[in-house]
Amino acid sequence: MPELPEVEAARRAIEEHCTGKKIAACSVADDLKVIEGVSRSDLEAALFGKTILAALRKGKNLWLRLDSPPFPTFQFGMAGAVYIKGVAVTKYKRLSAVSDTDEWPSKHSKVFIELDDGLEFSFTDKRRFARVRLLEDPESVPPISELGPDALLELMPVGDFVESLSKKKTAIKALLLDQSYISGIGNWIADEVLYQAKIHPLQIASSLSKECCESLHRCIREVIEYAVEVDADSNRFPKEWLFHFRWGKRPGKVNGMKIEFITAAGRTSAYVPELQNLTGNQSEKVSRKKSTNVMSKKNVDAEESPSEKEETYETSKKNETAEDNKGREKKTSETENDRISSKGMAKKHVAVAKSSLRKRSKSSQADL
């Protein structure tokens, strides 16, 4: 996604090669999503015959000052780019010099301009998140009027920056991406400056120490100034920058330290845990959460696993069965004993009866 250095490189290229020249021809794409608030024919008519006096920028927005209003503005979005035929505008993740063998103008061109000396340039956008508008006074109306100070030209003094952060109760990366706070910082710059300042992306801005705020201010200035100085040519960025290792969420290391990815402000964020730790209350919360997770794991480990539960159940069933068998055996034994005892008692009763019968028989014979 084009950020301040890429848009500034485009502005400088237009200023160097196109200012002072008249627009001899213009072709606008029939794309109502990108061409906003003006018809294709009206935009072409407004540009034709005008002289480009200057190319201006604020944040990630660029506009051309012509010899009379209205002026065309370009909001680059996710993939907006300026191509000048035969001129390398920037090498940020792409080569911008258009050769004779390249399709020209590109099928993704939204505004194509030919100047009176034959030079041609085009604003393209293959993903259609960019916006092209025609405005009487671009700085006085949205979106440009709603932008915060430009991160290159208007970065607030370090003392004001420290005081400002002390009042912000939001995560620092979300704040850096807020174009109404500072304009021009996008995802890769935010990740880079936080890495260099050793600040976690989710750290609450107001909780940062004075030293951290000062370090962040310095990193914003240095990273943006360097990227602009080399015309956003990423091949010339310092090799130790996180920039070279953060793309595609691939596992990797920077300067020997592991890179991890989280979501911050709704964006994929690369950071280095070894350097960028949450501090203060946020650190304590993380520690408590980790402790809770460890305790939960211990509790889970202490519980019987399904197989252990099944084994316990089977053992219990076996024990119950054994007890039942013992009970039945005991009962059978008692029944048998009772049966034997009953037989014995019956024999005794028979013996007593026979003895009594013999006695009565003897008594009867004696009487005779």
Side-chain angles (χ1 to χ4, degrees), residues 124-197:
T124 70
D125 178 27
K126 64 182 179 181
R127 297 188 64 183
R128 303 179 67 225
F129 288 106
R131 296 292 180 267
V132 177
R133 304 177 179 94
L134 189 66
L135 303 172
E136 291 288 328
D137 183 7
E139 294 176 271
S140 68
V141 295
I144 297 172
S145 65
E146 297 174 341
L147 297 176
D150 185 81
L152 175 66
L153 304 175
E154 306 165 323
L155 186 62
M156 65 185 78
V158 63
D160 294 345
F161 185 68
V162 173
E163 183 180 358
S164 174
L165 291 184
S166 70
K167 301 173 183 177
K168 302 296 183 180
K169 305 295 184 182
T170 188
I172 187 60
K173 180 166 182 181
L175 187 62
L176 293 178
L177 293 178
D178 182 354
Q179 299 303 296
S180 68
Y181 182 68
I182 299 176
S183 60
I185 295 177
N187 205 33
W188 82 255
I189 292 179
D191 281 356
E192 189 65 49
V193 299
L194 290 173
Y195 162 68
Q196 293 192 23

Side-chain angles (χ1 to χ4, degrees), residues 170-173 199-208 277-283:
T170 188
I172 187 60
K173 180 166 182 181
I199 297 172
H200 194 286
L202 298 179
Q203 188 73 44
I204 299 300
S206 61
S207 70
L208 292 170
N277 295 308
L278 289 168
T279 62
N281 291 336
Q282 287 180 273
S283 176

Side-chain angles (χ1 to χ4, degrees), residues 33-276:
K33 181 179 179 183
V34 176
I35 310 301
E36 185 176 279
V38 60
S39 70
R40 173 184 177 182
S41 58
D42 285 349
L43 181 53
E44 290 174 344
L47 298 182
F48 179 75
K50 298 290 183 68
T51 299
I52 300 174
L53 301 182
L56 304 171
R57 179 197 59 78
K58 184 166 187 178
K60 295 180 276 187
N61 291 261
L62 179 149
W63 66 100
L64 302 181
R65 179 175 292 163
L66 308 176
D67 51 3
S68 64
F71 308 131
T73 71
F74 306 90
Q75 188 173 356
F76 280 53
M78 293 291 290
V82 168
Y83 291 88
I84 303 176
K85 193 170 186 179
V87 176
V89 176
T90 174
K91 291 184 179 178
Y92 167 71
K93 306 302 284 183
R94 61 181 180 267
L95 294 174
S96 292
V98 181
S99 69
D100 293 335
T101 58
D102 291 337
E103 178 189 29
W104 184 258
S106 164
K107 65 181 179 180
H108 302 297
S109 175
K110 304 304 174 184
V111 177
F112 170 77
I113 292 175
E114 181 182 351
L115 302 175
D116 56 0
D117 67 346
L119 187 67
E120 299 172 346
F121 72 92
S122 173
F123 179 78
T124 70
D125 178 27
K126 64 182 179 181
R127 297 188 64 183
R128 303 179 67 225
F129 288 106
R131 296 292 180 267
V132 177
R133 304 177 179 94
L134 189 66
L135 303 172
E136 291 288 328
D137 183 7
E139 294 176 271
S140 68
V141 295
I144 297 172
S145 65
E146 297 174 341
L147 297 176
D150 185 81
L152 175 66
L153 304 175
E154 306 165 323
L155 186 62
M156 65 185 78
V158 63
D160 294 345
F161 185 68
V162 173
E163 183 180 358
S164 174
L165 291 184
S166 70
K167 301 173 183 177
K168 302 296 183 180
K169 305 295 184 182
T170 188
I172 187 60
K173 180 166 182 181
L175 187 62
L176 293 178
L177 293 178
D178 182 354
Q179 299 303 296
S180 68
Y181 182 68
I182 299 176
S183 60
I185 295 177
N187 205 33
W188 82 255
I189 292 179
D191 281 356
E192 189 65 49
V193 299
L194 290 173
Y195 162 68
Q196 293 192 23
K198 301 178 182 179
I199 297 172
H200 194 286
L202 298 179
Q203 188 73 44
I204 299 300
S206 61
S207 70
L208 292 170
S209 67
K210 181 174 181 287
E211 293 73 19
C212 282
C213 294
E214 291 172 343
S215 176
L216 179 58
H217 185 276
R218 184 185 69 255
C219 291
I220 292 172
R221 187 184 67 251
E222 291 177 352
V223 167
I224 290 178
E225 287 181 352
Y226 190 94
V228 167
E229 183 182 343
V230 299
D231 288 329
D233 181 353
S234 58
N235 294 327
R236 296 166 65 188
F237 290 174
K239 299 302 180 187
E240 64 272 15
W241 277 17
L242 178 66
F243 176 94
H244 300 290
F245 309 95
R246 66 176 298 281
W247 304 97
K249 298 179 70 173
R250 294 187 300 269
K253 293 184 177 181
V254 55
N255 300 318
M257 294 173 287
K258 184 180 178 182
I259 300 170
E260 291 190 5
F261 297 89
I262 58 173
T263 299
R267 305 293 300 279
T268 298
S269 305
Y271 81 112
V272 178
E274 191 173 333
L275 293 180
Q276 299 168 262

